[in-house]
Each structure stands twice: as structure tokens, then as C-alpha cells.
């Protein structure tokens, strides 16, 4: 039995988020620039290497694995990787295998994901207006994503909609989105926009819509009851009395939740980021490739966890962006 992963602040690390590609079929304005340059394929971990690394983390106590990107479902052969991870669900070592997706490829993969043991999927959707969807994703088509969500439902996957709260963009859709989720039985989580990646003329402070304000707007129409429910991530939840639905809030800016952080993030090149909002990382690809024996890999993972920082430094409270990260969200995996 390997010793569990405990960081210097006594937080047990049981959740690994894995970005399996930096590529995407969309170019969301808060995530990527239109002319992104992507990594050469040879830089990426192979599917076999991803399997070996994730398996090591599971052996070291990771119980929840979230596959993300870029868009995870555009990585060629990715279902082989999901099938491989399914064996850890069957053995009971892994409690949850899930993914965050833009939904564009769900029609193609939803059933196979369910067959691999995936039961929940997060789909990012910021608007239900086709023109606005095109504007925010630049390359996406709303109808394809809605069809993907429907396919997920048909396959028996529970869907959680992730919506980035964007000032002047989806403010007036707050109730439409909430009611649509209530009607179709999806959970809904709002996320504050974070200063990830330099996107040229996108101004984060202008984009930022505090979830304190968003919640106050919801309370003009609904009674929200705080619940202690957690889903292993940073969201705090409320129940909407009128509809019975659950709404989550991910508030890295207005309410820092780092004290309960249980996760680390692996990039598609094998860098392990101990915090989304700090630059420090540890390369796991070199020890992975240096030997078929896992000893060096295991000590590199332990050394990384021993450096996990207390928290991020994101802050817009002085009407300027503090804690800006140079890397894009698609690099570390959102
Ligand atoms: N392509 C997939 C998707 O869109 O769901 C997975 C990767 S994406 C980077 C993961 C999540 O990060 C999405 O919900 C997206 O809205 C969110 N995201 C991207 N950039 C962000 C930013 N600057 N601030 C907050 N959330 C962001
Ligand atoms: Fe792609 Fe997701 Fe980033 Fe949008 S948020 S560009 S879908 S990785």
C-alpha cells in the first residue's frame, strides 16, 4: 500500500485533472486567441504514457479523475484511454471517471463513455442564443452542442452545465439558462472568469461578473437555500426552492476556496501543476520516459505535492488584474 498524497497544508490530494490535448475545435474568447499555436504532436504524452501516469496517481490515492483539455474528445484515440481507465473503476480504486467537454463531439462518444463507466459529464455552455454562441466560441455551433447534450442524456450520463459568468454577455440570460436546466434536469454551475492567458485586447476586469452579484440577481426571483453538498470540486451549492434544482458557484475571485483544495493538474505534455493560479510545476515526462520502473516517477510526484502552494493570487478588487497567469486555460486544463 503506497502512502497517500498529503501536501504541506495537510490537504489530501485525491483528485487529478488531466488535460489530454491543448487543441480544440472552438476558440472561446476568454480561453484562447483566434490564432492559437498548438504544441507539436511529439511533445504530447502518448495514450500509453497517459495511462501509465494516471494509473500511478490512482495507486497513490487519487480517487477522482477528470479528463479535460483543450477539447478532450478531439484527441485521436481518446476512447482507448477512457476504456483503460475503466479498469480502475471496476477494481474500485477509482471512484469517479469524468470529463469536461464543449459537447461538440458528444453525439459520437456519449454511449462509449457510458460503457467505460463515466456517469457524469460537465458541458460548457455560456448562452442559449445561437448568434451569441457563435460570437463567444468563435467556431462553435449551438445546435451541435445541444444535440450532444441530448445524446449524453440518452446514454444515461448526468449532465452538468458549466457557464462562465460574463458581464454584458450572458447577464440577461440568467433566468433562461436556469429554467432550461431545471426543465431538462441538468445541474448548473456558474464560474467566475479567471485571468488565464494573455488574450490581447480581451479585458478581464470588463468581462468579470462577480457571482455575488449573479446570486443576488437570482434571489430576486427564487429562494436559494445553501446546502453543504460538495461534488469533490470547488463549487458551493444552493437548492432553488421553486424548481428543486441544484446550482453551483465557482468563485475563485469573490470567495477563495483554496483551503479545501484536493486537486492537481496534469498537462498533455506531462507537467504537473500543483495550483491553477501559480506558475510552479514539475515535469513528470522525463522520469516517465527515463525508465519503465516507476520509482523515479513516484518520487517526482511526491516532490511535487510537497511543493503545493497555499493558494492562488487572482484578484480584481482594485479594478486591475492581479495574479494573471501567462498560460491559457487550455494548457493546464480548466
Ligand atoms: N473544452 C472543454 C470545455 O470547454 O469544457 C474543456 C476545457 S475548458 C478549458 C474547461 C472549462 O474552463 C470550460 O468550462 C471553460 O468555460 C472554462 N474556462 C476557460 N477559460 C476560462 C477563464 N479564463 N476563466 C474561467 N473559466 C474558463
Ligand atoms: Fe475550447 Fe473549452 Fe477553451 Fe472553449 S473553453 S476554447 S471549448 S478548450
Amino acid at each position: 500500500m503506497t502512502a497517500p498524497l498529503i501536501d504541506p497544508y495537510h490537504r489530501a490530494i485525491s483528485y487529478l485533472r488531466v488535460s489530454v490535448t491543448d487543441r480544440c475545435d472552438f476558440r472561446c474568447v476568454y480561453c484562447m486567441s483566434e490564432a492559437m499555436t498548438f504544441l507539436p504532436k511529439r511533445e504530447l504524452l502518448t495514450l500509453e504514457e497517459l495511462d501509465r501516469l494516471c494509473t500511478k496517481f490512482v495507486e497513490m490515492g487519487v480517487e477522482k479523475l477528470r479528463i479535460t483539455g483543450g477539447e478532450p474528445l478531439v484527441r485521436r484515440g481518446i476512447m482507448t484511454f477512457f476504456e483503460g481507465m475503466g479498469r480502475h473503476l471496476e477494481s474500485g480504486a477509482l471512484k469517479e471517471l469524468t470529463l469536461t467537454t464543449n459537447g461538440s463531439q458528444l453525439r459520437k462518444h456519449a454511449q462509449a463513455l457510458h460503457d467505460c463507466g463515466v456517469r457524469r459529464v460537465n458541458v460548457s455552455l455560456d448562452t442559449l442564443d445561437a448568434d451569441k454562441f457563435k460570437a463567444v466560441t468563435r467556431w462553435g455551433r449551438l445546435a451541435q452542442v445541444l444535440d450532444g447534450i441530448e445524446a449524453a442524456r440518452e446514454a444515461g450520463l448526468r449532465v452538468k452545465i458549466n457557464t462562465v459568468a460574463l458581464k454584458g454577455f450572458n447577464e440577461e440570460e440568467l433566468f433562461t439558462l436556469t429554467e432550461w436546466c431545471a426543465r431538462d434536469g441538468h445541474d448548473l454551475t456558474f464560474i467566475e472568469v479567471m485571468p488565464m492567458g494573455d488574450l490581447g485586447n480581451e479585458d478581464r476586469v470588463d468581462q468579470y461578473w462577480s457571482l455575488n452579484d449573479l446570486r443576488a440577481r437570482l434571489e430576486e426571483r427564487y429562494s436559494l437555500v445553501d446546502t453543504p453538498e460538495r461534488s469533490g470540486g470547488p463549487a458551493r451549492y444552493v437548492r432553488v426552492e421553486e424548481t428543486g434544482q441544484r446550482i453551483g458557484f465557482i468563485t475563485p475571485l469573490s470567495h477563495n476556496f483554496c483551503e479545501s483544495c484536493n486537486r492537481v493538474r496534469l498537462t498533455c505534455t506531462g507537467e504537473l501543476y500543483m495550483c491553477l493560479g501559480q506558475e510552479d510545476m514539475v515535469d513528470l515526462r522525463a522520469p516517465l520516459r527515463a525508465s519503465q520502473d516507476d520509482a523515479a516517477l513516484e518520487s517526482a510526484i511526491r516532490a511535487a505535492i510537497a511543493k503545493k502552494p497555499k493558494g492562488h493570487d487572482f484578484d480584481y478588487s482594485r479594478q486591475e488584474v492581479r495574479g494573471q497567469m501567462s498560460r491559457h486555460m487550455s494548457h493546464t486544463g480548466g
Side-chain angles (χ1 to χ4, degrees), residues 30-31 68-71 100-102 124 164 192-194 204 329 334:
Y30 47 75
C31 180
T68 176
E71 174 46 43
T100 300
T101 172
N102 66 24
S124 306
V164 179
E192 287 176 339
V193 72
M194 288 173 261
R204 299 293 181 190
M329 197 73 145

Side-chain angles (χ1 to χ4, degrees), residues 294-305:
D294 282 348
L297 178 62
E298 186 168 333
S299 45
I301 294 173
R302 289 203 188 279
I305 301 302

Side-chain angles (χ1 to χ4, degrees), residues 72-144:
L73 297 180
V74 302
R75 168 118 192 214
R76 191 171 305 193
I78 194 62
M79 292 316 298
T80 316
F81 170 74
F82 275 101
E83 280 162 26
M85 290 301 105
R87 74 185 184 277
H88 299 309
L89 289 171
E90 277 168 25
S91 78
L94 190 63
K95 303 272 183 290
E96 185 169 28
L97 173 63
T98 184
L99 71 153
T100 300
T101 172
N102 66 24
S104 69
Q105 308 302 313
L106 269 178
R107 170 61 65 192
K108 195 152 68 190
H109 295 301
Q111 188 57 54
L113 286 167
H114 191 272
D115 294 346
C116 297
V118 174
R119 292 293 174 265
R120 297 195 303 167
V121 44
N122 287 4
V123 182
S124 306
L125 181 65
D126 302 326
T127 172
L128 287 168
D129 176 298
D131 293 334
K132 283 167 72 176
F133 186 85
K134 180 122 206 74
V136 76
T137 62
R138 292 199 186 98
W139 295 7
R141 281 200 313 114
L142 178 67
Q144 188 178 342

Side-chain angles (χ1 to χ4, degrees), residues 53-273:
L53 248 179
C54 292
T55 298
K56 191 75 225 158
F57 272 98
V58 171
E59 285 170 16
M60 296 174 86
V62 161
E63 295 185 331
K64 176 170 174 174
L65 212 52
R66 177 175 296 280
I67 311 308
T68 176
E71 174 46 43
L73 297 180
V74 302
R75 168 118 192 214
R76 191 171 305 193
I78 194 62
M79 292 316 298
T80 316
F81 170 74
F82 275 101
E83 280 162 26
M85 290 301 105
R87 74 185 184 277
H88 299 309
L89 289 171
E90 277 168 25
S91 78
L94 190 63
K95 303 272 183 290
E96 185 169 28
L97 173 63
T98 184
L99 71 153
T100 300
T101 172
N102 66 24
S104 69
Q105 308 302 313
L106 269 178
R107 170 61 65 192
K108 195 152 68 190
H109 295 301
Q111 188 57 54
L113 286 167
H114 191 272
D115 294 346
C116 297
V118 174
R119 292 293 174 265
R120 297 195 303 167
V121 44
N122 287 4
V123 182
S124 306
L125 181 65
D126 302 326
T127 172
L128 287 168
D129 176 298
D131 293 334
K132 283 167 72 176
F133 186 85
K134 180 122 206 74
V136 76
T137 62
R138 292 199 186 98
W139 295 7
R141 281 200 313 114
L142 178 67
Q144 188 178 342
V145 169
L146 295 181
D147 182 55
I149 292 171
E150 189 49 36
R153 229 167 42 142
E154 286 163 19
L157 297 171
R158 201 164 163 76
V159 174
K160 187 177 85 169
I161 301 295
N162 276 347
T163 300
V164 179
L166 293 166
K167 197 170 203 140
F169 177 76
N170 51 15
E171 279 168 294
E172 70 277 20
E173 277 191 86
L174 180 59
F175 296 111
T176 323
L177 274 161
T178 305
E179 279 153 26
W180 176 75
C181 286
R183 200 193 59 221
D184 284 12
H186 309 312
D187 284 334
L188 170 62
T189 291
F190 293 103
I191 307 173
E192 287 176 339
V193 72
M194 288 173 261
M196 302 294 297
D198 180 6
L199 301 180
N201 43 16
E202 297 295 339
D203 187 332
R204 299 293 181 190
V205 178
D206 286 349
Q207 287 177 336
Y208 175 55
W209 180 17
S210 158
L211 294 192
N212 286 335
D213 294 351
L214 183 150
R215 182 181 167 141
R217 287 273 292 280
L218 277 176
E219 283 175 325
E220 288 168 12
R221 188 171 301 187
Y222 301 122
S223 312
L224 307 183
V225 182
D226 285 301
T227 77
E229 289 171 68
R230 301 305 289 260
S231 57
R236 279 153 210 283
Y237 291 97
V238 296
R239 285 239 160 242
V240 182
E241 281 208 317
E242 289 77 358
T243 62
Q245 81 196 110
R246 187 167 86 146
I247 297 187
F249 301 99
I250 300 184
T251 54
L253 279 303
S254 62
H255 180 116
N256 182 310
F257 41 68
C258 301
E259 75 281 358
S260 60
C261 185
N262 58 352
R263 72 211 71 113
V264 288
R265 295 160 193 268
L266 184 70
T267 71
C268 56
T269 57
E271 298 164 343
L272 188 70
Y273 280 88

